[in-house]
């Protein structure tokens, strides 16, 4: 039986997620409803993606009995209220990253998921790309020995976008860009906490972070360094250095389609989209959707 999706918000990321779902078998994934704050936006989205039901409020989507899981694609200051709405309605949730604006909000969301006994996942799509799976496999098999250093960068000129600049819209480069570098470090060091954190950077006049360089020191003389920026184009790659070799994730490290292991490159191409995408390699969101389906079946 297909996993029946509801889509919360009719914005750019929701468009790409819906296009990505169409690269998967229809017997596995179906979008049955979309909701937006304005009914006409939901109706337009539904027409574009051939979705049967469009709602002019998130509450109506929460009441729809034929939805297995809701994809939350609105801006992150509204993730808390959306997550609570759907989970209190006993809906499973895949929420776009960042899950929330701060630790207090995250705890509230986690508590709600446990209380309502529903599935919750933060949509850190990078984790589910074939490249990421292969990196984890290589490290588990000791292909490059013990990891001693991780370096990554993610920078794109985005200061023209209010969502990255305005504090009330959840602005700041860490929440939108830097988190990709940080999640890579957390993944490769198995979620261990660093012994020390040093960060230096610059903020915008709006009070949010613009460009930051972070150095993390871990136990057993392991290091990580990453740079992120919303004002400049960076190489956007990552390098993992072990005691027996090196793994490079070329640009774009947050949605990777190639991997270089000790100088040998392998390509992992994505399926072509049926509609134009808003974001680089957007059909790669198919992998996190597959993971959600596997989790729900289990």
């Amino acid at each position: 039986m297909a996993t029946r999706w509801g889509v919360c918000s009719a914005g750019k990321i929701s468009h790409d997620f819906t296009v990505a779902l169409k690269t998967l078998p229809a017997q596995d994934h179906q979008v049955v409803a979309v909701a937006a704050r304005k009914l006409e936006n939901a109706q337009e989205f539904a027409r574009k993606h051939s979705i049967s039901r469009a709602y002019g409020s998130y509450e109506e989507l929460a009441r729809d009995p034929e939805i297995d899981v809701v994809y939350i694609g609105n801006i992150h200051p509204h993730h808390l209220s959306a997550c609570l709405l759907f989970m209190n309605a006993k809906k499973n949730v895949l929420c776009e990253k960042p899950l929330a604006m701060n630790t207090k909000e995250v705890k509230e969301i986690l508590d709600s998921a446990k209380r309502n006994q529903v599935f919750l996942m933060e949509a850190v799509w990078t984790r589910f790309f074939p490249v990421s799976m292969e990196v984890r496999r290589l490290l588990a098999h000791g292909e490059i020995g013990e990891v001693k250093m991780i370096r990554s960068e993610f920078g794109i000129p985005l200061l023209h976008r209010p969502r990255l600049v305005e504090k009330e819209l959840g602005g700041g480069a860490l929440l939108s860009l830097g988190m990709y570098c940080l999640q890579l470090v957390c993944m490769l060091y198995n979620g261990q906490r660093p012994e020390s954190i040093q960060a230096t950077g610059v903020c915008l006049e709006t009070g949010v972070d613009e460009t930051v360089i972070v150095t993390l020191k871990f136990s057993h003389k392991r290091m990580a360094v990453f740079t992120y920026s919303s004002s400049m184009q960076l190489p956007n790659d990552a390098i993992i250095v072990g005691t027996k070799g090196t793994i490079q994730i070329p640009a774009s490290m947050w949605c990777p389609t190639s991997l270089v292991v000790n100088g040998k490159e392998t390509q992992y191409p994505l399926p072509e989209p049926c509609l134009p995408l808003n974001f680089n390699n957007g059909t790669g969101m198919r992998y996190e959707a597959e993971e959600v389906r596997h989790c729900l079946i289990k």
Side-chain angles (χ1 to χ4, degrees):
M1 193 174 154
T3 299
R4 299 169 302 179
W5 290 87
V7 175
C8 168
S9 112
K12 291 179 178 179
I13 194 82
S14 295
H15 167 89
D16 284 14
F17 181 78
T18 306
V19 171
L21 283 180
K22 287 182 181 166
T23 68
L24 295 166
Q27 65 265 27
D28 289 349
H29 296 271
Q30 292 174 7
V31 179
V32 297
V34 59
R37 294 192 183 278
K38 292 182 181 175
L39 180 59
E40 55 266 35
N41 291 347
Q43 289 171 333
E44 174 59 30
F45 191 96
R47 273 195 298 274
K48 186 183 285 186
H49 295 283
S50 304
I51 300 167
S52 59
R53 296 197 288 283
Y55 298 121
S57 73
Y58 299 158
E59 288 76 14
E60 289 172 276
L61 183 65
R63 289 194 295 268
D64 190 321
E66 294 182 18
I67 288 169
D68 299 314
V69 56
V70 176
Y71 170 76
I72 295 176
N74 57 5
I75 61 173
H76 31 277
H78 300 306
H79 285 177
L80 173 65
S81 58
C83 281
L84 296 183
L85 171 69
F86 293 113
M87 292 191 295
N88 285 333
K90 308 299 181 187
K91 295 284 190 281
N92 300 302
V93 165
L94 172 65
C95 181
E96 248 327 315
K97 42 71 35 191
L99 183 57
M101 294 299 297
N102 52 52
T103 309
K104 181 175 174 286
E105 289 188 1
V106 168
K107 187 176 185 306
E108 211 172 325
I109 291 170
L110 297 182
D111 288 346
S112 177
K114 289 169 186 169
R115 188 171 60 250
N116 288 294
Q117 294 187 301
V118 294
F119 174 83
L120 166 71
M121 189 171 100
E122 183 181 26
V124 184
W125 64 323
T126 315
R127 289 280 176 111
F128 308 101
F129 273 71
V131 165
S132 298
M133 309 283 268
E134 178 62 8
V135 167
R136 290 199 292 271
R137 190 193 70 80
L138 290 167
L139 296 187
H141 286 81
E143 293 290 330
I144 63 164
E146 184 190 359
V147 177
K148 302 299 284 186
M149 168 64 81
I150 302 160
R151 181 195 60 71
S152 64
E153 297 178 335
F154 189 4
I156 306 178
L158 292 171
L159 297 184
H160 57 287
R161 292 200 182 165
R163 188 176 64 80
L164 266 291
V165 172
E166 302 299 331
K167 190 175 272 191
E168 60 273 18
L169 297 179
L174 177 61
L175 289 176
S176 291
L177 305 175
M179 59 77 53
Y180 284 108
C181 300
L182 184 55
Q183 74 81 26
L184 180 71
V185 174
C186 292
M187 181 181 85
L188 299 177
Y189 285 150
N190 299 312
Q192 293 177 26
R193 288 177 177 270
E195 291 181 342
S196 70
I197 303 169
Q198 290 179 302
T200 185
V202 292
C203 289
L204 297 167
E205 278 114 28
T206 55
V208 302
D209 54 307
E210 177 225 283
T211 301
V212 180
I213 301 170
V214 181
T215 304
L216 305 173
K217 181 184 175 185
F218 290 82
S219 61
H220 308 295
K221 299 181 179 177
R222 296 169 300 158
M223 300 290 292
V225 180
F226 64 88
T227 306
Y228 65 88
S229 176
S230 59
S231 68
M232 65 185 85
Q233 185 70 41
L234 292 174
N236 296 341
D237 63 350
I239 294 177
I240 306 155
V241 181
T243 51
K244 296 180 186 172
T246 300
I247 296 172
Q248 182 186 9
I249 305 172
S252 310
M253 56 76 69
W254 72 97
C255 52
T257 55
S258 64
L259 189 64
V260 182
V261 183
N262 293 327
K264 184 186 175 187
E265 185 166 8
T266 306
Q267 298 290 332
Y268 298 83
L270 289 169
E272 287 299 311
C274 61
L275 290 169
L277 295 166
N278 296 297
F279 300 101
N280 191 26
N281 292 347
T283 53
M285 284 193 275
R286 73 199 302 267
Y287 302 117
E288 66 183 2
E290 282 186 298
E291 176 66 15
V292 170
R293 175 169 167 79
H294 293 152
C295 289
L296 292 179
I297 288 169
K298 282 184 202 170

